[in-house]
Amino acid sequence: MFDRTAGTDGYQQLKEHPVLIKILDEYKQVNSQLELRIKATESIVYVNEYGKQFKNACI
């Protein structure tokens, strides 16, 4: 849901996560002519019963 969030805590930590920064740096090396950055949609996902059953079937 794009109009709802789980609060503002945690999003910055995710954007600054070492794994994401490493991936971004790798892309910057390959695409030095581009201005690349990490951008995120701060929203929330609700999983309904159908989604839970689908997850269980796949695992």
Side-chain angles (χ1 to χ4, degrees):
M1 303 184 107
F2 293 114
D3 62 338
R4 298 186 187 141
T5 68
T8 57
D9 296 340
Y11 289 114
Q12 196 60 34
Q13 288 177 314
L14 290 172
K15 292 176 189 176
E16 296 172 354
H17 193 279
V19 173
L20 288 180
I21 298 300
K22 181 178 180 274
I23 292 169
L24 177 62
D25 288 342
E26 290 172 1
Y27 275 92
K28 283 181 176 181
Q29 287 177 4
V30 174
N31 301 287
S32 59
Q33 73 281 7
L34 300 176
E35 183 179 325
L36 301 173
R37 62 188 172 97
I38 295 174
K39 183 178 178 184
T41 302
E42 297 177 0
S43 60
I44 191 167
V45 175
Y46 289 104
V47 180
N48 61 17
E49 189 59 36
Y50 179 75
K52 291 176 188 176
Q53 290 176 13
F54 180 76
K55 176 202 65 125
N56 291 334
C58 292
I59 294 180

